[in-house]
Amino acid sequence: MRQAFACAVSAAILLAAGAASAQDVDVSFNAAVTSDYVFRGFSQTDEEPALQGGVDATIGSFYVGGWASNVDFGDDTDAEIDIYGGYRAEAAGFVFDVGVVGYFYTDAPSAADYDYVEFKAAASRAVGPVTAGVAVYYSDDFFGVDEEATYAELNASVTPADKWTLSAALGQQWLDVNDDYATWSLGAAYAFTANLALDVRYHDTEVDTPI
């Protein structure tokens, strides 16, 4: 498991370029500056800032993309690069998303075994200003010493006023070597424009000390 702190507060600015369409292929770009890169309750940057960016391509209901961020695990590892793809569709008012995500780390120690792949299944439904969802991730060769790992999350967001979004998530991580743990987050985002937003978020876990 990543070495990190049990509690982190992050603020992020997200810039997303408008999608460009060519022969039914929509491409979009995103970039962010954040005070702390937090993943499932744990800092990936030793509670330091991160620069992040990515690109996504959608072809009908199928999507592929890539994303990257600097990281700090206390060794030579300096960046995380994610490659993902999947299928997203809507039925009976629900949005369903199934896919796969590969997490890769540059300059990681050869014995660290950081790289891994997760399979994802998620569903969400919007009712008025409220959207609620559930997601499950599974890996049979997880980060570091852990092999089999499952993460499940309940999440919800609400838009109480124009340009404002409040969101929360509650997750549980099951691991076969390190201890299982619960994690949660609360956040608020304000959209200055269609492509520029500020997100302030609180993250925590039930873990009292760094792992």
Side-chain angles (χ1 to χ4, degrees):
M1 180 181 294
R2 300 165 170 80
Q3 277 200 324
F5 292 90
C7 181
V9 180
S10 65
I13 298 175
L14 174 66
L15 175 63
S21 180
Q23 296 181 344
D24 298 324
V25 178
D26 293 328
V27 179
S28 62
F29 302 87
N30 63 81
V33 179
T34 178
S35 66
D36 189 6
Y37 169 25
V38 179
F39 180 79
R40 296 178 187 171
F42 289 90
S43 175
Q44 307 301 286
T45 50
D46 196 19
E47 296 189 314
E48 294 297 325
L51 296 176
Q52 303 170 340
V55 58
D56 295 276
T58 303
I59 307 171
S61 295
F62 295 92
Y63 64 88
V64 295
W67 181 88
S69 174
N70 61 288
V71 296
D72 184 356
F73 299 152
D75 54 26
D76 292 334
T77 311
D78 53 20
E80 173 188 331
I81 300 173
D82 301 346
I83 305 296
Y84 50 86
Y87 177 85
R88 185 184 297 113
E90 184 173 349
F94 290 87
V95 176
F96 298 94
D97 186 344
V98 293
V100 60
V101 186
Y103 304 81
F104 307 99
Y105 298 87
T106 63
D107 294 328
S110 58
D113 194 21
Y114 288 161
D115 297 349
Y116 67 101
V117 174
E118 281 188 323
F119 297 94
K120 168 190 175 182
S124 63
R125 183 181 177 93
V127 179
V130 179
T131 299
V134 59
V136 178
Y137 295 81
Y138 172 78
S139 176
D140 62 1
D141 186 8
F142 196 57
F143 183 94
V145 297
D146 287 287
E147 293 295 327
E148 189 171 359
T150 302
Y151 177 76
E153 180 182 279
L154 298 174
N155 53 68
S157 65
V158 60
T159 306
D162 185 38
K163 298 184 178 182
W164 283 97
T165 300
L166 307 178
S167 59
L170 174 63
Q172 176 71 31
Q173 180 76 71
W174 290 276
L175 301 164
D176 64 351
V177 176
N178 284 293
D179 292 338
D180 303 338
Y181 69 93
T183 181
W184 53 90
S185 67
L186 295 170
Y190 180 80
F192 294 100
T193 70
N195 296 323
L196 179 64
L198 174 68
D199 186 294
V200 179
R201 189 161 303 276
Y202 172 80
H203 303 261
D204 205 351
T205 76
E206 64 178 343
V207 181
D208 293 329
T209 57
I211 296 177

